[in-house]
């Protein structure tokens, strides 16, 4: 951590310089101000909130002066580092948590036990956290451990066992494991043991402890195949080898002559279930487990999963997972790239209060990822995402996606976002081909709604409005707070001359995103001046959105 400050939140509230612990900031409201910022969503508070919470609402001008004086005092006490720790504007104050270390432990005492601030609004805020301190407790657990080399869960698919002597069935069981490994390996969130290693392991008696120690895996897919008359029967189990828990089982029964066709479709479902089960069980564990106790391999996928959930609480928790992953694995480019995506989504989800600043943070994250690994296809993809979708630097975005695909032709997100870029440029049929390829390459991604949403936009650009609506509906059913999906549904309904439904959908959009304005869309969206953008504006306007 760069030189900054340390603060304890439970028991005695101590605020001091990290490099000189004896240099404490003792003012009660100075410490309270930092406590409010450290615990704030997105680490920022409005000036009006700080004024009212710390000095009351009776005299606005007096509160304004008191806050300004407190910030001036802190500037003098902290010195040159003040500008790096706090960003102060005429509307809000933001704290850089990379410059703050939360010390102490929840067992040290009640939240802000000795902080003598008596304003009713402050006491109400303090008591609400004492009633449910779970979110603030997590701040005490950001790790200082660094250097871990494995931040992704490791998975192995073993060949399915078959009755002795059935060579053809043994080949089929081996093929299932090989194809499953191949599909899983396309995900940037998983580390997959090679099929050859799994085949060698399968020649022994399968013992969970032995597999865990030999291959250092977290999840294991096993199964069996047999003949039953003219049918083939296959059963697959997916196990968390760390706990020995059987997460799920899948069954296939089909005529021998239809095995190849039916098994291919069945395997897609199997791999999709692998992705969903790892993502959801990991996120569940992350919600229940203090960060220092969460295994390394769960952090990245928990963060990636949580940021795509519709609730603000999950989105904020995603940042904690990713910050912890960055603390443990500072040289892992994937972690920094995912942090960059988090900042982009904070803008898209209308959580950002400073679009320009969060855009720069996203660029800083992708730059860090590419400094660590210039050949990171995922890092290149997210850098293209920032340039294309936020900065409208379409040529740079195209170069980034193209470079990512040259390095890794199976980088599904690069195909998806490149298809989205084509849709923005009214290249509808090319956009459809690219997003279809992305969806074919990404059966394991736990956020399929996102792929469906961008594919819907591609079909809208290609004039295939029924397909666009079907994909938008599918995406909406999985996540009803993705604004791109909501806009595309309205545009597809409008293009299909289903105006009444479009107006209902528009009301739904405004209920979920009350700050959305057409003028902002015209100014910020990369396709606003294109044919698809004009269709979108016309559709939103006709549906009643101003």
């Amino acid at each position: 951590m760069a030189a900054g400050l340390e603060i304890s939140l439970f028991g005695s509230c101590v605020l001091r310089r990290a490099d000189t612990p004896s240099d404490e900031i003792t003012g009660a409201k100075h410490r309270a101000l930092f406590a409010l910022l450290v615990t704030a969503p997105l680490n920022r508070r409005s000036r009006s909130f700080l004024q009212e919470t710390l000095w009351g609402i009776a005299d606005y001008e007096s509160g304004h002066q008191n806050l300004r004086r407190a910030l001036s005092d802190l500037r003098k006490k902290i010195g040159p580092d003040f500008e790096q720790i706090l960003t102060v504007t005429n509307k809000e104050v933001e704290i850089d948590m990379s410059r703050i270390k939360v010390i102490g432990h929840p067992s040290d005492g009640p939240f802000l036990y000795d902080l003598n601030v008596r304003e009713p609004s402050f006491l109400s805020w303090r008591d609400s956290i004492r009633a449910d301190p779970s979110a603030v407790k997590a701040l005490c657990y950001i790790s200082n451990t660094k250097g871990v080399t494995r931040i992704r869960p490791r998975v192995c698919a073993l060949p399915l066992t078959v009755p002795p002597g059935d060579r053809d069935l043994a080949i089929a069981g081996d093929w299932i494991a090989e194809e499953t490994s191949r599909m899983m390996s396309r995900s940037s969130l998983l580390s997959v043991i090679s099929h050859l290693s799994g085949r060698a392991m399968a020649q022994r008696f399968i013992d969970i402890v032995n597999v865990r120690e030999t291959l250092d895996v977290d999840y294991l897919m096993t199964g069996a195949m047999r003949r039953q008359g003219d049918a083939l029967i296959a059963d697959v189990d997916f196990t968390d080898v760390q706990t020995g828990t059987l997460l799920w089982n899948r069954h296939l029964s089909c005529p021998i002559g239809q095995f190849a066709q039916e098994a291919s479709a069945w395997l897609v479902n199997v791999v999709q279930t692998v992705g969903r089960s790892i993502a959801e069980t990991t996120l569940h564990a992350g919600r229940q487990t203090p960060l220092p106790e969460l295994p390394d391999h769960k952090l990245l996928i928990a963060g990636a999963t949580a940021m795509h959930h519709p609730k603000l609480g999950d989105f904020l928790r995603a940042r904690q997972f990713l910050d912890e992953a960055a603390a443990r694995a500072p040289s892992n480019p994937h972690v920094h790239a995912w942090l960059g995506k988090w900042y982009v989504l904070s803008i898209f989800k209308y959580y950002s209060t400073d679009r320009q600043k969060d855009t720069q943070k996203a660029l800083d994250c992708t730059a860090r990822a590419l400094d660590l690994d210039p050949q990171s296809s995922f890092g290149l993809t997210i850098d293209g995402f920032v340039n294309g979708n936020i900065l409208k630097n379409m040529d740079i975005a195209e170069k980034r996606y193209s470079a990512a695909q040259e390095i890794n032709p199976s980088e599904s997100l690069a195909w998806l976002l490149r298809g989205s870029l084509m849709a923005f440029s009214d290249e509808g049929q090319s956009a459809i081909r690219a997003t279809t390829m992305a969806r074919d390459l990404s059966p394991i991604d736990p956020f399929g709604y996102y792929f469906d949403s961008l594919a819907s936009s591609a079909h809208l650009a290609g004039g295939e409005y029924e397909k666009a609506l079907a994909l938008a509906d599918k995406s909406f059913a999985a996540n009803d707070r993705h604004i791109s999906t909501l806009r595309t549904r309205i545009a597809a309904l409008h293009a299909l001359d289903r105006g009444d439904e479009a107006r209902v959908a528009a009301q739904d959009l405004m209920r979920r995103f009350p700050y959305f304005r057409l003028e902002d869309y015209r100014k910020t969206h990369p396709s606003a001046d294109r044919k698809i953008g004009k269709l979108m504006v016309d559709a939103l306007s006709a549906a009643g959105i101003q």
Side-chain angles (χ1 to χ4, degrees):
M1 184 188 74
L5 300 178
E6 297 177 336
I7 186 171
S8 60
L9 296 173
F10 291 90
S12 180
C13 179
V14 176
L15 179 63
R16 65 194 185 194
R17 292 188 62 89
D19 52 356
T20 53
S22 61
D23 189 3
E24 290 191 22
I25 297 171
T26 57
K29 292 200 174 178
H30 295 148
R31 289 180 288 153
L33 175 63
F34 268 84
L36 285 163
L37 292 172
V38 166
T39 58
L42 303 179
N43 304 122
R44 57 179 72 121
R45 302 274 191 191
S46 69
R47 292 182 74 121
S48 61
F49 175 86
L50 294 171
Q51 290 165 204
E52 293 172 5
T53 304
L54 293 174
W55 289 281
I57 61 176
D59 186 347
Y60 176 84
E61 187 58 33
S62 175
H64 177 75
Q65 294 293 338
N66 285 328
L67 177 59
R68 188 167 63 180
R69 188 179 303 113
L71 291 169
S72 177
D73 292 343
L74 287 167
R75 190 184 298 273
K76 294 175 183 177
K77 292 176 182 292
I78 297 172
D81 289 335
F82 179 90
E83 301 290 347
Q84 282 71 49
I85 295 171
L86 295 179
T87 300
V88 180
T89 70
N90 61 358
K91 292 184 178 180
E92 64 182 19
V93 182
E94 180 177 355
I95 192 167
D96 183 351
M97 286 301 291
S98 69
R99 302 274 182 161
I100 301 294
K101 181 179 181 181
V102 179
I103 58 176
H105 190 272
S107 63
D108 294 339
F111 178 67
L112 303 180
Y113 177 69
D114 68 341
L115 204 53
N116 188 26
V117 177
R118 309 313 304 170
E119 291 295 337
S121 294
F122 180 83
L123 295 176
S124 177
W125 168 78
R126 183 203 66 186
D127 291 344
S128 70
I129 291 182
R130 287 184 179 179
D132 181 14
S134 56
V136 176
K137 282 182 179 179
L139 296 171
C140 300
Y141 297 138
I142 296 296
S143 173
N144 292 314
T145 304
K146 295 185 178 182
V148 69
T149 56
R150 186 165 74 81
I151 206 72
R152 294 182 293 175
R154 184 169 289 164
V155 188
C156 181
L158 299 184
L160 275 61
T161 61
V162 301
D166 195 329
R167 180 173 175 78
D168 290 341
L169 211 55
I171 292 173
D174 187 76
W175 172 80
I176 285 177
E178 182 177 16
E179 191 63 19
T180 301
S181 298
R182 183 177 294 116
M183 287 192 283
M184 291 192 299
S185 69
R186 295 170 185 158
S187 172
S188 63
L189 292 170
L190 299 180
S191 175
V192 182
I193 295 293
S194 76
H195 174 60
L196 294 178
S197 296
R199 179 189 288 167
M201 193 74 205
Q203 294 174 4
R204 316 177 193 178
F205 176 75
I206 303 301
D207 175 77
I208 291 292
V209 175
N210 186 31
V211 171
R212 183 176 64 216
E213 293 177 351
T214 302
L215 297 179
D216 188 26
V217 295
D218 306 299
Y219 299 95
L220 182 67
M221 195 185 90
T222 57
M225 290 186 70
R226 67 185 189 278
R227 300 177 189 269
Q228 185 172 304
D230 294 331
L232 285 182
I233 309 294
D235 288 285
V236 168
D237 298 328
F238 192 66
T239 304
D240 182 336
V241 300
Q242 303 300 320
T243 64
T245 303
L246 177 64
L247 298 179
W248 49 260
N249 170 275
R250 289 293 180 272
H251 175 81
L252 171 68
S253 176
C254 68
I256 293 175
Q258 298 177 20
F259 172 75
Q261 178 181 351
E262 295 204 19
S264 296
W266 177 69
L267 280 179
V268 170
N269 177 265
V270 166
V271 174
Q272 286 174 338
T273 310
V274 167
R276 284 195 298 268
S277 62
I278 293 177
E280 295 304 326
T281 57
T282 299
L283 182 55
H284 177 75
R287 289 170 174 153
Q288 306 296 321
T289 309
L291 281 178
E293 299 174 19
L294 197 64
D296 301 332
H297 69 270
K298 292 183 181 290
L299 290 166
L300 181 61
I301 196 166
T305 303
M307 78 168 68
H308 286 88
H309 274 223
K311 294 182 179 179
L312 174 60
D314 282 330
F315 188 76
L316 298 178
R317 185 66 167 154
R319 173 71 182 279
Q320 293 179 342
F321 291 134
L322 294 174
D323 283 343
E324 175 72 358
R328 297 192 201 180
S331 298
N332 188 296
H334 272 81
V335 174
H336 296 284
W338 275 106
L339 273 168
K341 187 174 184 181
W342 186 91
Y343 281 110
V344 174
L345 293 184
S346 76
I347 295 171
F348 287 167
K349 290 173 178 279
Y350 287 79
Y351 296 149
S352 174
T353 58
D354 190 332
R355 182 185 178 96
Q356 183 176 357
K357 185 173 183 179
D358 285 340
T359 299
Q360 186 57 53
K361 287 182 177 180
L363 288 170
D364 292 343
C365 289
T366 57
R368 175 63 174 154
L370 293 172
D371 283 345
L372 291 167
D373 181 7
Q375 297 298 303
S376 169
S377 61
F378 189 72
L380 287 164
T381 297
I382 301 302
D383 193 65
F385 190 31
V386 183
N387 276 282
N389 290 55
I390 302 294
L391 297 174
K392 298 193 281 189
N393 295 330
M394 314 296 265
D395 291 343
I396 295 177
E398 171 62 27
K399 290 177 182 177
R400 296 292 188 272
Y401 298 147
S402 178
Q405 289 174 331
E406 287 180 11
I407 294 167
N408 180 10
S410 297
E411 181 61 72
S412 60
L413 191 61
W415 280 101
L416 183 74
L417 294 175
R418 195 175 192 182
S420 180
L421 194 71
M422 292 169 177
F424 294 162
S425 302
D426 295 330
E427 301 174 32
Q429 293 306 310
S430 296
I432 291 170
R433 287 191 291 272
T435 55
T436 299
M437 175 66 79
R439 296 173 74 232
D440 289 343
L441 287 171
S442 64
I444 199 167
D445 282 301
F447 25 87
Y449 83 89
Y450 189 68
F451 282 72
D452 292 333
S453 179
L454 270 60
S456 174
S457 297
H459 285 275
L460 186 73
E464 298 181 5
Y465 303 129
E466 290 283 3
K467 182 66 173 178
L469 181 59
L471 286 166
D473 285 341
K474 183 180 178 183
S475 177
F476 180 76
N479 185 338
D480 61 3
R481 286 195 57 84
H482 187 56
I483 193 167
S484 177
T485 303
L486 300 175
R487 290 195 304 253
T488 304
R489 285 187 75 235
I490 295 167
L493 288 166
H494 174 79
L496 292 167
D497 199 25
R498 293 162 61 175
D500 290 342
E501 294 172 77
R503 282 185 284 276
V504 172
Q507 292 169 6
D508 189 43
L509 184 151
M510 294 307 300
R511 181 174 61 83
R512 298 172 193 278
F513 296 94
Y515 302 112
F516 177 75
R517 296 292 181 271
L518 267 184
E519 185 60 27
D520 292 337
Y521 177 86
R522 292 189 184 99
K523 288 180 179 178
T524 61
H525 200 277
S527 72
D529 294 330
R530 301 283 187 154
K531 179 181 176 182
I532 186 176
K534 292 175 181 177
L535 168 62
M536 187 69 70
V537 170
D538 289 344
L540 296 174
S541 179
I545 295 177
Q546 303 300 315

